[in-house]
Amino acid sequence: MPTILKKGQYRFFFYSNEGNPAKAPHIHVRSPDGEAKISLTEPYGVLLSVGFSAQELRRICEMVREHAEIFTGAYNDYFA
């Protein structure tokens, strides 16, 4: 599970086995409160979530939007 970014209590990462067969670009985020899977294409929506409130998911999606270039580049590099 390569970690791409740690920000506060959040760790953004990929699962190593998700690139074969190729899936739509996404990133996972985990904190002590839960885990979510967020799309790396506009509008950076929540694909799956366990344990996060709606308010926290909005905050997480904003972080993904802020770092989208880093996440997308890392995803493409890792799964290419």
Side-chain angles (χ1 to χ4, degrees):
M1 293 188 309
T3 297
I4 308 306
L5 177 72
K6 288 185 179 180
K7 187 166 185 173
Q9 67 177 351
Y10 302 106
R11 181 172 68 91
F12 295 86
F13 64 96
F14 304 120
Y15 284 107
S16 297
N17 62 350
E18 289 191 316
N20 193 9
K23 295 186 179 184
H26 62 277
I27 190 135
H28 294 264
V29 59
R30 184 179 289 163
S31 81
D33 298 328
E35 185 173 338
K37 179 178 173 181
I38 309 293
S39 172
L40 288 177
T41 56
E42 290 281 354
Y44 307 107
V46 177
L47 302 172
L48 178 68
S49 174
V50 176
F52 291 126
S53 68
Q55 181 181 13
E56 195 165 16
L57 286 169
R58 283 190 297 274
R59 193 167 41 247
I60 290 167
C61 285
E62 182 57 35
M63 285 187 265
V64 170
R65 185 175 292 109
E66 290 171 9
H67 300 286
E69 190 173 317
I70 293 167
F71 294 147
T72 302
Y75 188 93
N76 292 334
D77 289 347
Y78 193 81
F79 293 112

